Amino acid sequence: MKVAHSDEAVPGPLGNASDKVPAIEIQDLCKTFGKFQAVDHLTLTVQQGEIFGLLGPNGSGKTTTINMISGLTVPTSGSVRVHGYDVRHSAREVRQILGAVPQETALYEELSAWANMDFHADLFGIPPREKKQRINAMLEIVQLTDRKNSRVGTFSGGMKRRLALGRALLHDPKLIYLDEPTLGIDVQARRAIWDYILQLRSQGKTVLITTNYLEEAQALCDRLAIIDHGKLIAVDTPQHLKQSYGGSVVELETADAISEVAKIQALEGIKEVKQENTHLTITTQGTGNIVPQIINIVSQESEIRAITIREPDLDEIFLRLTGTALRD
């Protein structure tokens, strides 16, 4: 696994969109608060058109990193570029490129959906001749046209999320940041938002997601970065992370507890063996010639009542890499 590095560049935009500069370039980024190191020499590149997931437990440095990408927090050292713009020197340009949906949607609940969108359009300087058409088009995309005159305080959690997403896209940003995009909403609304996020990628948008739902990360993300204690632990596709850090998982149910667990652990290609009474969970680097050897050892002691072979899930990979569960 390689962590992407990019060459140093001069401040300001680098070329044009066709040059395919990275959507986000983070170089040796650090942020300290007093003696606390929130982000520790982080280097990361997100390419244009990716759905990129940023994963980490509470206190891992995710939020601080996002705040530095957004220009809300000044780095202690290192650099951040968004589409070639240095965030420190070109904050205004970065704001025009970025659309954000924070965990707290920050909608004006006493106003209608239309009024919320209208206010955002004015904030981002959308020309009056384009504003009405853009708002109508976006409300249609997020399926809220029939509720455009309704007070936002009457909306469900899923409707508020969709409105916040539409608002963030109103000024046609190249990069969209979504913080826990489906937190607290029902399964049906979650699937609708997932579908729309995937559509954004097909439109050439770059989507940066922070999520504590590993199912969500696997369903949406082209690549994932795992951050813990401010450091980059791993970055890769969900599939490669599972292959590189998981291996296959062999589960056996036996009639009696096995005493020769050490023999299984000693086999070449065995990463980990866990035993709970008559249940064995064995993590391997491959299933080729290992499973017959496992069966041979176990069957000498007890009858095997069930055996399954599966890939590890991202929860297991995350726990193995960080020693911490993503969701407590």
Side-chain angles (χ1 to χ4, degrees):
M1 181 197 70
K2 292 183 178 179
V3 178
H5 291 268
S6 56
D7 296 330
E8 185 176 355
V10 296
L14 304 178
N16 51 51
S18 64
D19 293 331
K20 281 292 183 183
V21 295
I24 303 170
E25 285 181 284
I26 298 173
Q27 285 281 355
D28 204 27
L29 191 64
C30 294
K31 181 63 182 180
T32 57
F33 297 96
K35 295 182 178 180
F36 176 65
Q37 184 90 35
V39 176
D40 191 356
H41 297 280
L42 181 66
T43 294
L44 188 64
T45 300
V46 178
Q47 300 298 340
Q48 290 188 43
E50 277 194 292
I51 300 179
F52 193 93
L54 201 58
L55 276 66
N58 292 335
S60 63
K62 294 194 311 293
T63 301
T64 304
T65 299
I66 293 298
N67 285 343
M68 287 188 282
I69 293 171
S70 305
L72 299 175
T73 298
V74 177
T76 302
S77 62
S79 66
V80 182
R81 293 184 180 278
V82 175
H83 279 263
Y85 289 101
D86 186 300
V87 172
R88 291 197 198 206
H89 301 101
S90 306
R92 182 177 179 181
E93 287 83 356
V94 169
R95 281 195 294 270
Q96 290 296 326
I97 289 169
L98 178 65
V101 182
Q103 193 174 127
E104 298 297 329
T105 52
L107 296 165
Y108 295 101
E109 300 213 351
E110 296 303 314
L111 300 180
S112 68
W114 178 276
N116 271 269
M117 298 287 270
D118 185 65
F119 178 80
H120 187 81
D122 290 342
L123 189 65
F124 275 83
I126 294 174
R129 64 183 180 278
E130 298 178 18
K131 184 166 65 171
K132 183 177 179 180
Q133 180 182 357
R134 281 208 204 181
I135 293 174
N136 278 327
M138 196 54 61
L139 287 172
E140 184 174 352
I141 287 171
V142 297
Q143 301 176 13
L144 288 172
T145 300
D146 61 336
R147 297 294 301 274
K148 66 181 182 181
N149 295 318
S150 299
R151 189 170 60 85
V152 171
T154 65
F155 286 8
S156 67
M159 292 168 68
K160 289 177 182 178
R161 275 284 173 199
R162 284 170 16 224
L163 180 61
L165 185 56
R167 180 187 61 181
L169 293 167
L170 192 60
H171 63 290
D172 195 28
K174 296 178 181 178
L175 171 65
I176 300 97
Y177 162 57
L178 307 174
D179 184 12
E180 297 280 357
T182 60
L183 180 68
I185 65 175
D186 59 48
V187 173
Q188 185 176 1
R190 180 179 302 157
R191 291 290 176 181
I193 290 174
W194 285 6
D195 288 343
Y196 188 61
I197 291 170
L198 292 171
Q199 288 177 33
L200 292 173
R201 179 178 58 189
S202 70
Q203 297 167 17
K205 306 287 188 185
T206 305
V207 184
L208 178 63
I209 295 175
T210 56
T211 180
N212 280 349
Y213 293 110
L214 289 167
E215 178 194 6
E216 183 164 78
Q218 185 162 333
L220 296 176
C221 297
D222 299 304
R223 288 193 300 146
L224 301 172
I226 296 175
I227 295 178
D228 193 30
H229 293 95
K231 292 180 178 289
L232 182 64
I233 304 300
V235 57
D236 214 327
T237 67
Q239 188 63 30
H240 284 166
L241 282 172
K242 291 193 292 183
Q243 291 173 352
S244 300
Y245 297 96
S248 298
V249 178
V250 182
E251 296 185 341
L252 297 98
E253 189 66 38
T254 58
D256 306 292
I258 304 301
S259 61
E260 298 291 348
V261 172
K263 285 186 178 180
I264 301 172
Q265 185 70 68
L267 292 173
E268 184 178 355
I270 297 294
K271 286 187 174 182
E272 185 180 45
V273 181
K274 290 183 179 180
Q275 183 177 35
E276 294 182 9
N277 298 320
T278 59
H279 187 84
L280 281 170
T281 302
I282 303 161
T283 305
T284 77
Q285 291 178 322
T287 59
N289 296 317
I290 298 176
V291 173
Q293 295 177 66
I294 294 170
I295 291 173
N296 183 52
I297 293 171
V298 173
S299 61
Q300 291 179 24
E301 284 200 63
S302 178
E303 174 192 354
I304 298 175
R305 293 183 170 174
I307 180 169
T308 59
I309 303 172
R310 62 175 176 83
E311 287 188 338
D313 57 32
L314 284 175
D315 295 83
E316 292 169 315
I317 302 305
F318 192 91
L319 183 61
R320 189 167 297 144
L321 284 170
T322 67
T324 306
L326 188 59
R327 298 185 68 85
D328 297 328

